[in-house]
Amino acid sequence: MLPAVVKLCCGISYPHLRSMSGKGFNAHTGPRSNITSENLLPKTEVAVSEDQLFYIQHGKEALRKAVSMLEDGEGWKLEIQENNGDVICSKVIPGAGKVFRLEAVLEASLDDLYDLLFVRVENMHEWNPSIQRVKVLKRAGPETIVTHEVSAETAGNLIGQRDFLSVRHSCKEKSCLYLGGAAIQLESFPPQAGFVRAEDGPTCIVIKALDEDTRKSSFTWLLNMDVKGWLPKSIVNQGLPRAQLDFTRHLRKRLSLR
């Protein structure tokens, strides 16, 4: 259920692909973003096919929209505050519905998290029991992938088993990591028998190295998901923030084994 992942345009540009811009986060939305049109200016061109360009554009636009949602600090309501400092807030956004923002601090560097959440995304099931499998179906350059993900049927899973077809896009800067994405439809990979295909809306994870300790990172996750099916909204609104807490707990456990 991991929403998507990113190394946008930092040092790499694609012909005919516009740069993504961002304004930064304020005190209400977590770490401040360094994504701007200036620091994403073309530096090295990489030739891509028209097919690859479509996926790159889709991933970049999803990341831009998700970051924009985080940047709007108005209207967030506290949902859960854990003893370890993890906080989840929610907000109803026109056109997107109810989205959830988790904020946490992790004992890990940007490189550690980039490796686990993007480079080795197909291994996620090894440390996250909520995931049955993740398969990379297509690669569009080094920063964009198309994945098929199947959630596990685990005890206590309020939402039930789902599958996802998503574009994931990454942007890795010196002190920030942006992971974003959204659902996509492919004629070559229709919904699978036996699964309800859920859809990630524009979603993102923003990770920022803490100034005082590069081995610690702030972790901000915007979860924007349509689980589909016939579940009551009350069940969905309980299940999604719970899934965020479960994911973060499993991620911490994996990081502790380094």
Side-chain angles (χ1 to χ4, degrees):
M1 289 169 215
L2 175 70
V5 226
V6 312
K7 178 189 173 190
L8 189 50
C9 223
C10 313
I12 297 179
S13 69
Y14 301 90
H16 315 302
L17 189 59
R18 70 183 182 183
S19 295
M20 187 195 77
S21 62
K23 300 176 182 177
F25 297 152
N26 60 32
H28 300 287
T29 57
R32 182 174 179 81
S33 165
N34 290 326
I35 290 187
T36 67
S37 57
E38 291 183 358
N39 64 22
L40 294 180
L41 288 174
K43 296 178 183 177
T44 304
E45 289 200 349
V46 176
V48 295
S49 67
E50 184 176 345
D51 185 55
Q52 290 175 315
L53 186 60
F54 169 77
Y55 299 124
I56 294 167
Q57 289 176 320
H58 192 81
K60 287 184 69 175
E61 181 64 10
L63 180 56
R64 184 193 66 78
K65 289 181 178 179
V67 169
S68 179
M69 291 179 189
L70 282 179
E71 287 174 343
D72 185 354
E74 300 298 322
W76 293 96
K77 296 181 179 179
L78 180 66
E79 291 275 344
I80 301 172
Q81 186 159 9
E82 296 283 274
N83 292 333
N84 63 2
D86 293 0
V87 175
I88 295 180
C89 295
S90 68
K91 180 179 181 178
V92 176
I93 297 178
K98 193 168 188 177
V99 302
F100 298 88
R101 184 192 72 209
L102 176 142
E103 293 178 292
V105 173
L106 300 178
E107 299 273 349
S109 68
L110 297 186
D111 288 341
D112 291 335
L113 293 166
Y114 183 62
D115 184 58
L116 281 175
L117 300 179
F118 191 76
V119 176
R120 293 194 287 159
V121 68
E122 288 188 316
N123 297 337
M124 192 175 290
H125 67 282
E126 296 176 359
W127 53 268
N128 183 1
S130 300
I131 300 295
Q132 180 172 305
R133 65 178 179 272
V134 180
K135 177 68 175 177
V136 176
L137 304 178
K138 296 177 181 289
R139 296 185 183 273
E143 300 91 15
T144 307
I145 55 178
V146 177
T147 62
H148 178 240
E149 177 181 335
V150 179
S151 64
E153 269 192 304
T154 56
N157 183 347
L158 296 177
I159 293 174
Q161 195 171 27
R162 295 291 190 272
D163 81 329
F164 305 80
L165 190 63
S166 308
V167 171
R168 302 178 184 231
H169 191 70
S170 71
C171 177
K172 189 169 181 288
E173 298 179 343
K174 184 177 181 180
S175 60
C176 290
L177 171 62
Y178 304 88
L179 309 175
I184 193 170
Q185 296 182 5
L186 297 177
E187 290 184 4
S188 59
F189 207 91
Q192 306 294 289
F195 295 106
V196 174
R197 176 154 294 176
E199 293 185 354
D200 285 321
T203 184
C204 70
I205 291 174
V206 179
I207 302 165
K208 183 176 175 61
L210 296 182
D211 293 338
E212 63 273 18
D213 187 349
T214 57
R215 294 296 304 174
K216 288 187 177 182
S217 303
S218 64
F219 182 88
T220 303
W221 175 9
L222 177 76
L223 179 59
N224 174 15
M225 183 186 295
D226 183 349
V227 301
K228 302 297 185 181
W230 299 98
L231 289 174
K233 283 188 177 180
S234 59
I235 297 295
V236 174
N237 291 338
Q238 290 180 54
L240 291 181
R242 179 171 172 175
Q244 286 183 296
L245 292 176
D246 288 345
F247 178 88
T248 308
R249 185 179 72 254
H250 296 312
L251 178 57
R252 281 195 173 102
K253 184 176 180 180
R254 173 63 182 83
L255 292 168
S256 70
L257 300 177
R258 297 189 322 278

